[in-house]
Amino acid sequence: MTKKNDPNKGLYYLRSKKYCKLKNTEFMKKYRCEVCDWIYDPEVGDPESGIAPGTAFEDIPNDWLCPVCGVGKEDFVEEPD
Ligand SMILES: [Zn+2]
Protein backbone atom coordinates (compact mmCIF):
# COMPACT_ATOMS: atom_id res chain seq x y z
CA MET A 1 0.00 0.00 0.00
CA THR A 2 1.27 3.46 -0.84
CA LYS A 3 0.28 6.41 1.28
CA LYS A 4 -1.78 9.04 -0.42
CA ASN A 5 0.27 11.90 0.96
CA ASP A 6 3.83 10.85 1.37
CA PRO A 7 5.62 13.84 2.95
CA ASN A 8 8.97 12.67 1.61
CA LYS A 9 7.83 12.77 -1.98
CA GLY A 10 7.61 16.55 -2.11
CA LEU A 11 10.90 16.91 -0.32
CA TYR A 12 12.59 14.59 -2.76
CA TYR A 13 11.18 16.58 -5.65
CA LEU A 14 12.52 19.83 -4.24
CA ARG A 15 15.90 18.30 -3.62
CA SER A 16 16.21 16.86 -7.11
CA LYS A 17 15.07 20.13 -8.63
CA LYS A 18 17.71 22.05 -6.73
CA TYR A 19 20.30 19.50 -7.73
CA CYS A 20 19.36 19.87 -11.39
CA LYS A 21 19.62 23.63 -11.17
CA LEU A 22 23.08 23.42 -9.65
CA LYS A 23 24.09 20.89 -12.26
CA ASN A 24 22.96 23.11 -15.11
CA THR A 25 24.73 26.23 -13.98
CA GLU A 26 27.87 24.16 -13.50
CA PHE A 27 28.03 23.64 -17.24
CA MET A 28 27.29 27.26 -18.07
CA LYS A 29 30.31 29.28 -19.02
CA LYS A 30 31.13 32.66 -17.63
CA TYR A 31 31.76 35.39 -20.18
CA ARG A 32 33.96 38.43 -19.86
CA CYS A 33 33.45 41.80 -21.48
CA GLU A 34 36.59 42.55 -23.49
CA VAL A 35 36.07 46.28 -23.10
CA CYS A 36 35.56 46.70 -19.34
CA ASP A 37 36.39 43.23 -17.93
CA TRP A 38 32.92 42.82 -16.42
CA ILE A 39 32.09 39.13 -15.94
CA TYR A 40 28.72 37.67 -16.85
CA ASP A 41 28.02 34.86 -14.39
CA PRO A 42 25.05 32.65 -15.46
CA GLU A 43 24.36 31.79 -11.83
CA VAL A 44 23.76 35.47 -11.08
CA GLY A 45 22.41 36.63 -14.44
CA ASP A 46 21.81 40.34 -14.93
CA PRO A 47 18.55 41.01 -13.07
CA GLU A 48 18.78 44.78 -13.64
CA SER A 49 18.58 44.15 -17.38
CA GLY A 50 15.88 41.51 -17.04
CA ILE A 51 18.22 38.51 -17.31
CA ALA A 52 17.13 36.01 -14.67
CA PRO A 53 19.68 34.07 -12.61
CA GLY A 54 20.39 30.73 -14.29
CA THR A 55 20.34 32.14 -17.82
CA ALA A 56 23.16 30.86 -20.05
CA PHE A 57 25.03 33.55 -21.96
CA GLU A 58 23.88 31.92 -25.21
CA ASP A 59 20.26 32.42 -24.14
CA ILE A 60 20.56 36.16 -23.52
CA PRO A 61 18.71 38.21 -26.18
CA ASN A 62 21.02 39.57 -28.88
CA ASP A 63 20.03 43.16 -28.10
CA TRP A 64 21.35 42.83 -24.54
CA LEU A 65 24.18 45.20 -23.68
CA CYS A 66 26.99 45.11 -21.12
CA PRO A 67 25.55 46.81 -18.00
CA VAL A 68 28.84 48.61 -17.38
CA CYS A 69 30.09 49.88 -20.75
CA GLY A 70 27.17 49.19 -23.09
CA VAL A 71 28.81 46.99 -25.73
CA GLY A 72 26.92 44.07 -27.28
CA LYS A 73 27.29 40.31 -26.79
CA GLU A 74 29.82 40.13 -29.65
CA ASP A 75 32.38 41.88 -27.47
CA PHE A 76 32.21 39.16 -24.82
CA VAL A 77 34.65 36.27 -24.68
CA GLU A 78 34.40 32.96 -22.87
CA GLU A 79 36.07 33.11 -19.48
CA PRO A 80 38.22 30.05 -18.74
CA ASP A 81 37.83 28.56 -15.26
ZN1 LIG B 1 31.60 46.02 -20.68
Side-chain angles (χ1 to χ4, degrees), residues 27-81:
F27 289 112
M28 290 182 196
K29 292 277 182 190
K30 289 180 182 176
Y31 279 77
R32 180 173 56 83
C33 175
E34 279 197 298
V35 178
C36 71
D37 277 347
W38 183 79
I39 305 278
Y40 176 78
D41 185 344
E43 279 184 59
V44 180
D46 182 18
E48 280 182 38
S49 303
I51 309 298
T55 304
F57 188 78
E58 293 80 3
D59 294 333
I60 297 175
N62 285 324
D63 60 357
W64 175 83
L65 300 170
C66 173
V68 176
C69 69
V71 298
K73 282 178 75 179
E74 65 274 9
D75 286 308
F76 277 74
V77 289
E78 210 176 286
E79 178 77 350
D81 291 324

